[in-house]
Amino acid sequence: MGRSFDVVVIGAGPAGYIAAIRAAQAGKSVACIDEWKNKDGKNAFGGTCLNAGCIPSKAMLESSELMHRAQHEFKIHGINTGPIELDVAAMQKRRASIVRQLTGGIAGLFKANKVEGLVGHGKLLAGKQVEFTPVDGEVEVLTAQNVILASGSSPIELGIAKFDDDRIIDSWGALELTEVPKRLGVVGAGVIGLELGSVWARLGSSVTVLEAMADFLFMADRDVANVAAKEFRKQGLEIKLGAKVSSAKASKNGVTVSYEDANGSQSVEFDKLVVAVGRKPHTDNLFADDAGIQTDERGFIVVDDECRTRVKGVYAIGDCVRGPMLAHKGSEEGVMVADIIAGETAEMNYDVIPSVIYTSPEIAWVGKTEEEVKASGRAYKVGSFPFAASGRAKAMEQTSGMVKMISSKDDDEILGVHIIGPMAGELISEAVLALEFSASTEDIQRTIHAHPTLAEAVHEAALAVDNRALNYPNK
Ligand code: FAD
Ligand code: NAD
């Protein structure tokens, strides 16, 4: 018989490692099992987010943004440089080093919080036992009072464009390219397609994004999506909407992609093709048939609002369960479940989860879009403020975009905030807090915002809801 723990977590991504630390902080004995292996063959904690998702993509977005600004903006500031040269190897070394530091940091956090970090495969057996197969060593069957499944997700593969790790690649492959492809194709104008398409476009690729839907960024507020489409096209991203890819054939010289759109059958050649059409829950060999875990028709582990599975004492969190596939959503579920295990009352507000797309300009929102509010039948008011009227944005040379705020007509409660512009991902936090506290636009109107800051645009948008904007003409 193997060791016994109060809590065994399978998966050390942002959902699992946070759950493990929170449970240990409550005095529980905790083990966290993870099998992630990087392309260098080394195991690392942190899951998709730290190794192949949020963090490396933001490292590459930052580097490529600097390249773009050096090429196009320095002159405006009166800074003349010689020709700007790109060293992709150095850029990639920096990305890898950031990832290494942060994933190593989790190992350190586990030690500090007395979480037993176990490297290898975990499988839930019947009776809350967990079979642990280490990378090297003997299989051990752990006994747990509580088990948390946090196995994450993996990219969806298209049958007509199978990944070959060379010409047809997934988002992880696209993050670790060693040279700039001349012609880059991207299937899917979702979050990954736009973020990674932006990275390589800024570094010099000619990027074409093929999106099946007719609407651009269908999940975003229409006003924001329209500004975004205009901005991205201005930056040289070719975005083809209503494009149904029918085949992708890799050869020695590239990839030939055939698709249908409103103009009929088309064919286009790329050097690399990134397929980013969504992700699916990863539950391979995660639980035994008799463990009692149920999955839905799309493969997600079925859980209730508190992330309980059908088996008492077994929970599931993060990308492997319903809800948006976002690191912060998974982490908060981890906190909630650890607190429930510790005997506390805990819940998650699924209505107030911020979304951020780290393009330039950034896009961020929380709450309902105007279209959703309209469809709900609730009477509402809208105010918006353009960054072109913000002194700070002007000083930053980043005046594209706006803040848009929607509140209910009856009691002024804020229903949604939508931002496209500089640092939108940082600015949205004020709105998230406002929605969490059911604030009104008047609450924000009467809150002092430092000058000159980008946050003043949020303040002005709140004022604009009541036609009281001070630094921009009202409707
Ligand atoms: P994961 O991070 O996928 O971690 C699951 C872990 O469990 C993995 O390490 C896996 O190896 C391990 N595992 C699975 N099964 C087993 C098993 N049986 N035994 C042992 N170990 C197992 N989200 C954001 O919020 N912001 C972003 O900016 C963002 N950017 C992204 C960029 C890209 C390119 C991608 C691909 C994703 C991005 N995401 C972003 C999404 C984010 O990465 C995921 O929502 C998040 O990682 C989910 O966390 P998780 O803990 O549920 O799963
Ligand atoms: P996504 O769901 O954001 O976008 C996929 C896009 O592909 C959609 O627009 C869809 O209409 C399109 N599509 C689907 N099938 C297609 C086909 N056959 N041909 C053409 N287009 C097709 O998925 P993603 O971009 O792969 O990202 C996966 C997940 O990772 C998302 O859920 C996202 O939340 C998460 N993520 C988040 C961030 C962030 O928070 N900044 C960044 C990257 C990824």
Side-chain angles (χ1 to χ4, degrees), residues 11 14-15 34-35 47-49 53-54 58 120-122 151-152 319 325-328:
D34 197 288
E35 64 186 354
T48 307
C49 173
C54 324
K58 270 75 241 179
H121 186 80
S151 56
D319 278 11
M325 287 181 163
L326 295 171
H328 43 284

Side-chain angles (χ1 to χ4, degrees), residues 292-309:
I293 301 302
Q294 196 186 359
T295 53
D296 68 15
E297 64 287 349
R298 293 165 64 211
F300 289 97
I301 297 172
V302 176
V303 288
D304 67 10
D305 286 350
E306 278 84 37
C307 291
R308 292 183 186 86
T309 68

Side-chain angles (χ1 to χ4, degrees), residues 112-143:
N113 286 283
K114 300 195 175 58
V115 172
E116 189 79 46
L118 302 175
V119 179
H121 186 80
K123 179 176 182 175
L124 176 71
L125 307 176
K128 285 187 290 186
Q129 295 201 312
V130 175
E131 181 185 84
F132 167 51
T133 309
V135 174
D136 35 36
E138 300 271 297
V139 175
E140 181 183 7
V141 176
L142 311 172
T143 309

